[in-house]
Amino acid sequence: MTLLLPAPVLPEPESVPALRWGVIGTGIADRFVSAIHGHSMQRAVSVTARDPERTAAFAARHGIERVVDSVEALVADPAVDVVYIATPHPLHYDLALSAIGAGKHVLVEKPIAMNAAEAREITAAGRAAGVLVMEAMWTRYLPQTDMMHRVIADGVIGEVRLVTADFGFPMPYLPEHRLWNPALGGGALLDAGVYPIAFASSVLGAPVRVLAEGETGPGGVDVRADLLLTYDGGARSLLSTSLQAALPARASVAGTAGRIDIGAPFFGPSSITVSLGAFVPSETITWSDNRFAVVHDGLSYQATALASYVAEARTESPLHPHAEIIGVMEVIDTARETISGSA
């Protein structure tokens, strides 16, 4: 056979409504706003954050019209259509409920909350209010992800039997840094581990068994986690995250007839390679996403997708539904409990 890759099918930036965004937080939001202003029709029009001086500089850097002094003022603004929450993890729950209560659509940075119970409440509140609630798992909206799912659905690699993914980096111990502070949602699993777990979920769904091994570090945060997940039908995933080691940030989907490899970083715009056969493939084809010079400009894909869902009056992403968001948080809950209990 001649191996071909399907063309990705994504909404064009010019085909969706130009929504007005309110931004809470100025950390990862710096990259997000740069991405949407440079590569989409979406526009940030208001921002609020804890440090007034930094917030004013952020607004000036991105040409944002309004700096407001409170979350309440931002979510109450009739000129804001959607709220992007880019604060530390423990603040997501209250801020999301505040925005939803004001009738705003919300994009909440990953992880959507600190645990599955909070994720259930946030998503349920969005459905009840009739607004769109999305977790900012930008991986779901990349061209390579669409291509991967089309290849799997077409049976090109046969029956999926194993998914592998990892993301980790060495992080020096700094007591003041959020990654080492349990009160700020520190640890590897919530910050980095959510990516490989969500990747496996996108391919295999919810596991029926979660085995986790790892260790805790200063302050009791998880510094390493290795997961073996088992699914209906016997497929498995092997997933790793770490604050101790520079993991390659690659992902693979292995089937009975071939394999899909996603290049590093698998969670951002990178590449997809499909190979038929075993360790010496009979055919291989690769596609690379070369659209952006800066990897985080790929954050614009999810903003365009969100606007398309708002136009369709959806309350959840069809590519990343609420049940799956909650399922990933349940895996993280189990892994964190196992690791902290074995410390």
Side-chain angles (χ1 to χ4, degrees):
M1 66 176 291
T2 300
L3 189 55
L4 299 173
L5 286 176
V9 179
L10 301 173
E12 292 296 331
E14 299 79 13
S15 70
V16 304
L19 301 179
R20 300 165 298 179
W21 293 66
V23 178
I24 304 176
T26 57
I28 186 62
D30 202 46
R31 292 171 171 172
F32 177 79
V33 174
S34 290
I36 66 171
H37 284 184
H39 302 283
S40 82
M41 304 300 291
Q42 310 307 304
R43 290 296 176 267
V45 300
S46 182
V47 61
T48 190
R50 181 179 55 186
D51 185 321
E53 187 174 329
R54 286 183 60 188
T55 307
F58 178 94
R61 186 162 60 251
H62 295 291
I64 298 175
E65 303 165 11
R66 294 184 297 283
V67 175
V68 295
D69 60 7
S70 70
V71 169
E72 292 74 19
L74 185 140
V75 301
D77 187 346
V80 169
D81 302 310
V82 54
V83 175
Y84 172 54
I85 297 170
T87 61
H89 315 330
L91 302 178
H92 291 179
Y93 173 78
D94 286 338
L95 293 175
L97 292 182
S98 178
I100 292 166
K104 307 299 185 185
H105 306 291
V106 291
L107 178 66
V108 188
E109 262 306 331
K110 56 81 196 163
I112 194 171
M114 287 291 289
N115 51 55
E118 289 184 354
R120 286 190 196 94
E121 289 190 50
I122 292 169
T123 54
R127 286 194 298 273
V131 298
L132 177 67
V133 173
M134 274 176 51
E135 182 182 50
M137 185 55 67
W138 58 315
T139 313
R140 296 302 173 94
Y141 309 100
L142 302 174
Q144 69 209 31
T145 302
D146 181 74
M147 297 166 76
M148 177 186 76
H149 286 295
R150 290 173 185 274
V151 168
I152 293 170
D154 288 345
V156 174
I157 64 167
E159 183 182 358
V160 174
R161 304 307 299 159
L162 179 69
V163 171
T164 61
D166 59 67
F167 179 35
F169 42 85
M171 181 67 188
Y173 176 58
L174 301 170
E176 68 279 9
H177 196 282
R178 65 177 181 83
L179 285 176
W180 294 104
N181 188 338
L184 294 179
L189 277 162
L190 283 172
D191 199 76
V194 64
Y195 280 118
I197 295 170
F199 180 86
S201 175
S202 75
V203 177
L204 293 171
V208 295
R209 187 182 185 195
V210 177
L211 296 178
E213 193 279 335
E215 62 182 285
T216 58
V221 302
D222 54 277
V223 296
R224 179 180 63 82
D226 300 299
L227 280 63
L228 170 62
L229 309 185
T230 304
Y231 305 82
D232 280 334
R236 294 190 173 191
S237 63
L238 296 170
L239 314 170
S240 294
T241 187
S242 178
L243 296 182
Q244 300 173 323
L247 301 181
R250 297 192 185 100
S252 294
V253 181
T256 53
R259 187 179 74 250
I260 299 171
D261 294 309
I262 306 297
F266 74 87
F267 48 81
S270 57
S271 64
I272 176 172
T273 298
V274 179
S275 304
L276 299 183
F279 56 93
V280 180
S282 59
E283 270 193 276
T284 297
I285 188 169
T286 297
W287 177 90
S288 297
D289 188 348
N290 298 315
R291 179 181 177 188
F292 305 117
V294 178
V295 68
H296 281 94
D297 282 351
L299 292 166
S300 60
Y301 286 125
Q302 70 179 346
T304 295
L306 182 146
S308 75
Y309 303 149
V310 168
E312 296 167 356
R314 295 182 182 272
T315 58
E316 60 186 310
S317 164
L319 301 183
H320 193 201
H322 291 167
E324 196 176 333
I325 294 171
I326 294 165
V328 168
M329 292 307 303
E330 288 175 337
V331 172
I332 292 175
D333 286 351
T334 298
R336 294 180 77 202
E337 291 166 8
T338 301
I339 293 168
S340 63
S342 63

